[in-house]
Amino acid sequence: MAILLSLDSLALSFEGNVSRAKAQLKFNDPIQRKTYALNASTALISTYINKLSDGDFISLEGYRDEKHTVLTVSSVNYIGLNMLLGTWVGDDLYCYTFVSYTEFTISYRGIAKKCPAATAPIYTYFVNPSTTTWVMLLAGDHGSYVGDLIIHNPKDIEIQLYDSETGDILRKIHLRK
């Protein structure tokens, strides 16, 4: 009697940073202290991981091949964009400080040229890849939001927040570093 197992049941969770070596995307596993070539299990996953830049963070499900030092990605949980970290000045007189790959603060700057020191409250965010943009999930004391993160260049981005029920754009925030 043969026993068949689904490959999905063997997938493991991994979190770490990526680097690019020529055309190859590498995954730096902080627990194993090894570097693995990243491979995608599907064309769609390939589209997602090929959007990553040097230093970006990825949380994924996948399969590790120790013999060939390859990590095959079966699904992406969320992405941490390295270029997003730091303080951004919004066109709405607020400063947005992305303190980690999952937390940010908002502080009022008014007409001042400089942003005040970031303080509580801390908001949570996650970035997920899509085929055209990056999808942001944001949560704070005033609710949860879904939006698109549009990167015009490394110092110019836009966040479009949507009403989850109607799909209408609630707000556009233009941010500059």
Side-chain angles (χ1 to χ4, degrees), residues 121-176:
I122 299 279
Y123 298 90
T124 303
Y125 78 100
F126 291 98
V127 175
N128 292 310
S130 75
T131 54
T132 56
T133 64
W134 298 99
V135 176
M136 288 188 87
L137 307 171
L138 304 121
D141 292 342
H142 300 292
S144 299
Y145 301 94
V146 175
D148 286 335
L149 171 65
I150 302 161
I151 300 171
H152 300 293
N153 65 57
K155 297 197 180 281
D156 185 10
I157 63 174
E158 185 177 328
I159 299 172
Q160 294 181 353
L161 299 177
Y162 294 94
D163 181 314
S164 60
E165 292 181 21
T166 65
D168 294 338
I169 295 176
L170 296 173
R171 187 169 172 208
K172 291 181 183 183
I173 307 165
H174 199 110
L175 304 173
R176 288 194 171 87

Side-chain angles (χ1 to χ4, degrees), residues 69-83:
T69 59
V70 173
L71 180 58
T72 301
V73 181
S74 59
S75 67
V76 175
N77 298 326
Y78 71 94
I79 299 294
L81 298 175
N82 195 45
M83 59 81 58

Side-chain angles (χ1 to χ4, degrees), residues 104-125:
F104 73 102
T105 61
I106 302 172
S107 56
Y108 182 70
R109 88 177 154 88
I111 58 171
K113 296 271 185 196
K114 292 190 176 191
C115 294
T119 59
I122 299 279
Y123 298 90
T124 303
Y125 78 100

